[in-house]
Amino acid sequence: LEKEADRIIRASGRTMDDGTAAFPPQVGIGYEAFWLRDYAYTLEGSISSYSNKELVDACRLFVDGIGEDGAGVDCVKFDGACVYKPGYGSMGENPVADGSQFTVSVAWHTYQETENIELLQEIIEHLIRTMNEVVRNPDSGLVHIRASDSWDRCPYGFTDTIRKQGDVLFCSLLYVQASRQLSDMLSALGRKAEAQRWRAEAEDVAASVRGVFWDSEVGLFRAATTVCREHDIWGSAFAVYLGVADRRQSRAVGGYFKKHYSDIVQKGQVRHLPGGVYWEKTACGRDTYQNGAYWATPTGWFVYALDLVDPALADQTVIDMVADFKKGGACEWIIGERRQLPQYLASASLPLAGIRAMLERRDGR
């Protein structure tokens, strides 16, 4: 899997008009821009695939793309034009709700790999600004999408066709992760008091996630509080992976995954929602794309949670996913015999992070 992730990352490379090396979400023609979140996911799973220059250049590109309103980008076109809403700017009235968080993630991974303190000094104020502009519910602290008849903004980009409203789980989890990462970077700069504030902010939002979205009767977290309140398989797995879910919640999520395995997993790839469940409000038809298809992107988080209750089944999930990749390529998504966009970077690279974390936990590291 590491070899395949590295191969398709390198094969995806394109050169932007200004000479910056870009790595769009797939090999070949399809996604014709440099997407922030997909790139962040390749860093999480396969950062060694990049040179330090490529990492620094891409980091500067996305940080420079932060808008005047503090919003992070959705993607940057190869001519350098910044796009803040999915669908090349056509989806929603306002910027996507995960751009700030993924900008911080790219910066954190870049610093961890390069230890480029000059770059960190150059970008840190921009990272603070973009995090301060994330739209949140002042009462809960959770990332919030306005409930109205209009389309306020898209949520997490891997559900950008889903019209979630109210407090939203996944972007709030990303906010927790980004707050911790921002704290780390501030600590590296010796700004200890600010680092502590962001670490405390992360834990406050994590506590809100545990209280607001958790459904103890089912053993999963819900995706949103107002519209699209369905139980979120990806979000529940990610909450366990981040350590946001407490011990009891984590084992409950793992238990749900084991009990309902055949309904939510196909060839080692994972549905967004429980079996037979579809989003309340979406631009996506049933049993396709983000509304019923199976994705490898979250498999690492999924097995990290499943491993708590059934290590053998977690291992088999990874084996099944890799076997499917060998047969038909690492696709964006699959369902039945339908396969969409083979050689999809996030599918091959991101699972590595969760798989490694699972094995390290078993070893007591």
Side-chain angles (χ1 to χ4, degrees), residues 95-291:
V96 65
D98 66 3
S100 298
Q101 300 95 306
F102 278 114
T103 304
V104 170
S105 180
V106 164
W108 183 84
H109 284 292
T110 300
Y111 177 70
Q112 292 295 309
E113 183 70 10
T114 67
E115 298 183 340
N116 187 330
I117 197 72
E118 291 80 12
L119 173 68
L120 194 55
Q121 291 169 332
E122 172 189 328
I123 66 177
I124 192 68
E125 296 302 331
H126 300 289
L127 301 177
I128 294 170
R129 179 169 69 93
T130 196
M131 283 291 283
N132 280 331
E133 295 304 319
V134 175
V135 177
R136 296 192 292 147
N137 181 336
D139 296 323
S140 65
L142 298 165
V143 179
H144 189 80
I145 295 177
R146 178 169 46 86
S148 69
D149 293 334
S150 63
W151 192 353
D152 177 18
R153 69 184 72 237
C154 291
Y156 169 54
F158 280 78
T159 56
D160 56 13
T161 66
I162 314 305
R163 303 286 190 89
K164 299 174 189 175
Q165 295 180 8
D167 292 347
V168 288
L169 170 65
F170 212 101
C171 290
S172 297
L173 292 170
L174 291 171
Y175 184 86
V176 172
Q177 182 182 53
S179 295
R180 293 170 177 172
Q181 292 169 334
L182 184 56
S183 176
D184 288 347
M185 290 185 283
L186 286 162
S187 290
L189 292 171
R191 295 165 63 166
K192 303 298 183 183
E194 291 172 275
Q196 290 173 358
R197 286 199 295 272
W198 280 102
R199 181 67 60 171
E201 175 78 1
E203 297 318 305
D204 287 346
V205 176
S208 286
V209 167
R210 290 190 291 272
V212 170
F213 298 108
W214 180 247
D215 185 341
S216 58
E217 293 185 6
V218 175
L220 293 173
F221 292 90
R222 292 186 179 274
T225 56
T226 304
V227 174
C228 295
R229 297 182 65 251
E230 287 77 25
H231 295 101
D232 190 336
I233 300 296
W234 289 31
S236 296
F238 190 45
V240 176
Y241 174 71
L242 286 183
V244 170
D246 63 29
R247 182 178 178 82
R248 176 182 55 84
Q249 291 170 338
S250 296
R251 290 195 65 84
V253 169
Y256 183 96
F257 290 172
K258 179 179 180 179
K259 182 178 180 180
H260 299 275
Y261 187 87
S262 62
D263 295 329
I264 56 179
V265 179
Q266 184 178 108
K267 301 174 183 176
Q269 291 151 83
V270 183
R271 219 173 176 270
H272 285 83
L273 299 172
V277 176
Y278 300 92
W279 292 107
E280 174 187 356
K281 191 172 184 180
T282 175
C284 185
R286 291 189 172 193
D287 294 322
T288 184
Y289 197 41
Q290 298 167 355
N291 195 27

Side-chain angles (χ1 to χ4, degrees), residues 1-2 4-6 8 296 321 325 330 344-352:
L1 187 58
E2 289 174 340
E4 180 66 359
D6 182 74
I8 66 174
M321 179 188 72
F325 287 0
Y344 190 74
L345 274 61
S347 294
S349 56
L350 183 60
L352 286 163

Side-chain angles (χ1 to χ4, degrees), residues 1 3-14 23-32 38 42 50 158 269 295-297 321 324-334 339-351:
L1 187 58
K3 290 178 181 178
E4 180 66 359
D6 182 74
R7 183 190 71 79
I8 66 174
I9 286 170
R10 298 315 307 176
S12 76
R14 307 277 286 274
F23 298 86
Q26 84 304 310
V27 177
I29 303 301
Y31 284 91
E32 291 299 296
D38 297 76
T42 67
Y50 300 98
F158 280 78
Q269 291 151 83
W295 298 60
T297 300
M321 179 188 72
D324 186 61
F325 287 0
K326 288 181 177 179
K327 181 180 179 180
C331 293
E332 181 183 33
W333 56 268
I334 64 169
R339 309 185 67 85
Q340 183 74 14
L341 278 183
Q343 302 193 87
Y344 190 74
L345 274 61
S347 294
S349 56
L350 183 60

